[in-house]
Amino acid sequence: MTNAITIKNLNYSYPEQGELFKNFDFSVQEGEWLAIVGHNGSGKSTLAKLILGLLDFDQGEIQVFDEKLSEETLASIRAQVGMVFQNPDNQFVGATVADDVAFGLENRQVPSKEMPAKIEAALKQVGMEDYAEREPHTLSGGQKQRVALASILALHPRVIILDEATAMLDPEGKQAVMETLKELKARYQDQLTLIMITHDMEEAALADRVAVVSDGQLVFDEKPETLFLKGKQLAELGLAQPFSMELQSALGISQTTYRTKQELATWLSTLKA
Amino acid sequence: MNNLVIGQFVPGSGILYRMDPRTKILMTIVYVFLLVFANSWVTYLWSAIFLVAALLLTKQGLGLYWRGIKPILWLILFTVVLQLLFSGGTPVLFQWGAIKVTEPGLINAIYVIVRFVLIVLMSTILTITTPPTAIASAIESLLKPLKAIKVPVAELALMLSIALRFVPLLMGETDKIMKAQKSRGMSLSTGSLMKRAKAVIPLLVPLFVGALQRALDLANAMEVRGFESAEGRTRYRELSYGRDDTLAFVAIAVFAIGFLALSFIK
């Protein structure tokens, strides 16, 4: 297994609030679905911006596949790593859905004749192909985020980072984005590394691995099934457990196994019988 | 705020939709330029015929165009009144104290109305049949010669299209902030002029802060998607000159020749 992202000895201080990361080490494997969780100001979004070179770090090293992040490799790294941001409106560059997907292709100097097919293929993958000529203000937040995903998919990235991409969406929009992510992961498998920055534990539950960050420190780094058993420690970090675990504890069931909502429901019904 | 038709694209079909936006912009410029020199009712009639033909080709309802004219009705009325009252000349048709309406004044007033309406309708036809992005790239293409004197044409065109893209967003935001401030007791419609002007500040500050935040976010999103410079990008919507455009140029040439001929007949 190769590493998609390797961070070694990273040091970063905010220009005003002071030090955030100190000798931070972290790595993400190729094909992994990783969730990075943490409370507000924990540094999780900053980490994403550092990986994409949107912020400059003070010391250390960030490596994306076999390239070290630097002024020279920035363009080639951004060609491999796509990012969906939190605010659906502020990342919509084009005047229509198709124009927005085209924006990245235009930057990469894809010939005009090849664009329509690529745009359609990308929109199909997120189920937005019927909206190609729509203007952004006629779309819901969830639809805009799926367009943002399509505009990244059109560039065939190896890594997609979602920076709180569902935080501003209604439950329906959230659901649609998460379903789309599941489909993409199933389609691309090891060809696609997903990094999801979130504070929603229901979303984190979908990942293979969850990294908990607090004040620039990696606190936990494990599978969701084991992490979600640590209710008390999570609460101390300002994080909630997934709903199913909270329900278990409210029911006085000892938290020794992680059950999803569905699993909990079936398990409860066997008890009754 | 949303019923402004000028600058609003309405999807449709027909020759005017297929035409190259550059052709449409050039045609509109030629038309407006000639109209300034219209000096007789035949030249106005000729111009009106041309406009009606264009109007019919858009296949849009007339109500749309009426909404285009409505916002500038007051401006037209104001100019008409000025023409009526201060034109001078003879014969005098009507006099009441210092106010007198003369025949040349009346004729001029009518001409002003017609000219205004024709110009506005022609530009409305342009914006109704052409998406803002197409207008932006047409302007870029038409201004290309300015690159020789180091005008950043590509950057300007990109700025223009992003600005257009954010107009509905910022309008929505203004509306939201206004409601938020009103619910806290702000009033923009009562009090002295000074008070009203001051009431605008709590509206503008959040709007500007919000717009700056959006700009930062958008810059990040653009960079991550590989944007480096507005130069050297390929285009999704390529402008192409076709048969429809040749037809259009023939039409505007016929119009111009007819116009010049009629203005000499007088």
Side-chain angles (χ1 to χ4, degrees), chain A residues 54 75 78 85 89-92 94-96 98-100 102-103 106-110 112 115 119 133 151, chain B residues 133 165-166 168-169 213-214 217-218 220-228 232-238:
Chain A
L54 292 172
R78 284 178 180 167
F85 295 85
D89 285 313
N90 298 0
Q91 54 189 313
F92 211 110
T96 66
D99 282 291
D100 191 55
F103 179 77
E106 292 173 331
N107 291 336
R108 301 270 147 75
Q109 298 174 10
V110 172
S112 308
M115 278 192 215
I119 292 168
E133 294 305 317
S151 61
Chain B
T133 37
R165 137 94 186 87
F166 274 85
L169 209 63
Q213 185 56 50
R214 280 185 201 284
D217 283 358
L218 191 73
N220 276 342
M222 286 170 68
E223 265 194 49
V224 165
R225 282 202 253 159
F227 180 81
E228 277 163 24
R233 301 170 70 235
T234 48
R235 297 209 159 273
Y236 168 49
R237 296 188 197 274
E238 257 188 318

Side-chain angles (χ1 to χ4, degrees), chain A residues 112-148:
Chain A
S112 308
K113 285 196 185 65
E114 293 170 24
M115 278 192 215
K118 282 182 194 260
I119 292 168
E120 201 190 325
L123 286 174
K124 260 200 183 122
Q125 290 182 50
V126 300
M128 289 293 290
E129 67 272 25
D130 296 336
Y131 297 84
E133 294 305 317
R134 291 277 285 270
E135 289 175 26
H137 60 97
T138 66
L139 302 178
S140 73
Q143 289 173 328
K144 280 180 214 162
Q145 290 302 64
R146 274 147 68 203
V147 173

Side-chain angles (χ1 to χ4, degrees), chain B residues 153-211:
Chain B
V153 177
E155 271 84 1
L156 287 174
L158 188 71
M159 272 166 60
L160 180 66
S161 66
I162 289 175
L164 287 170
R165 137 94 186 87
F166 274 85
V167 166
L169 209 63
L170 290 179
M171 267 172 31
E173 197 153 281
T174 313
D175 194 47
K176 217 185 284 174
I177 296 171
M178 222 142 96
K179 278 182 186 145
Q181 304 288 33
K182 268 186 195 159
S183 73
R184 290 165 175 77
M186 179 198 78
S187 171
L188 279 177
S189 48
T190 56
S192 66
L193 202 64
M194 197 58 195
K195 219 174 146 191
R196 278 191 228 180
K198 271 187 186 158
V200 175
I201 294 171
L203 204 80
L204 287 182
V205 171
L207 193 66
F208 266 93
V209 172

Side-chain angles (χ1 to χ4, degrees), chain A residues 86-247:
Chain A
Q86 180 174 11
N87 190 319
D89 285 313
N90 298 0
Q91 54 189 313
F92 211 110
V93 189
T96 66
V97 168
D99 282 291
D100 191 55
V101 178
F103 179 77
L105 298 170
E106 292 173 331
N107 291 336
R108 301 270 147 75
Q109 298 174 10
V110 172
S112 308
K113 285 196 185 65
E114 293 170 24
M115 278 192 215
K118 282 182 194 260
I119 292 168
E120 201 190 325
L123 286 174
K124 260 200 183 122
Q125 290 182 50
V126 300
M128 289 293 290
E129 67 272 25
D130 296 336
Y131 297 84
E133 294 305 317
R134 291 277 285 270
E135 289 175 26
H137 60 97
T138 66
L139 302 178
S140 73
Q143 289 173 328
K144 280 180 214 162
Q145 290 302 64
R146 274 147 68 203
V147 173
L149 256 178
S151 61
I152 288 166
L153 287 170
L155 306 172
H156 301 294
R158 296 168 79 184
V159 181
I160 297 180
I161 304 179
L162 296 114
D163 185 7
E164 303 254 16
T166 61
M168 292 175 75
L169 305 183
D170 54 19
E172 213 173 294
K174 255 183 212 193
Q175 187 71 30
V177 170
M178 294 320 288
E179 287 304 324
T180 309
L181 285 180
K182 276 195 239 170
E183 277 163 29
L184 289 176
K185 198 70 186 87
R187 172 200 282 250
Y188 289 105
Q189 309 224 346
D190 283 352
Q191 306 294 311
L192 179 68
T193 310
L194 270 185
I195 304 176
M196 203 166 55
I197 293 164
T198 180
H199 55 245
D200 184 330
M201 287 301 192
E202 308 292 337
E203 286 178 20
L206 295 172
D208 303 323
R209 175 162 73 109
V210 184
V212 181
V213 181
S214 178
D215 301 322
Q217 302 278 327
L218 190 63
V219 189
F220 295 111
D221 183 4
E222 53 194 281
K223 286 185 182 312
E225 299 89 290
T226 57
L227 176 72
F228 293 154
L229 303 176
K230 300 177 172 156
K232 225 174 115 190
Q233 287 118 301
L234 286 176
E236 279 165 15
L237 294 166
L239 294 166
Q241 279 179 299
F243 172 74
S244 58
M245 293 306 284
E246 288 189 333
L247 184 63

Side-chain angles (χ1 to χ4, degrees), chain A residues 63-83:
Chain A
Q63 199 177 322
V64 177
F65 293 101
D66 45 12
E67 281 179 301
K68 239 169 87 174
L69 178 65
S70 69
E71 201 69 44
E72 290 78 43
T73 59
L74 192 60
S76 125
I77 283 176
R78 284 178 180 167
Q80 301 176 61
V81 185
M83 182 151 158

Side-chain angles (χ1 to χ4, degrees), chain A residues 25-44:
Chain A
D25 289 304
F26 192 66
S27 64
V28 185
Q29 277 186 352
E30 185 176 11
E32 198 177 12
W33 187 342
L34 171 80
I36 301 180
V37 299
H39 57 82
N40 287 339
S42 59
K44 55 192 195 307

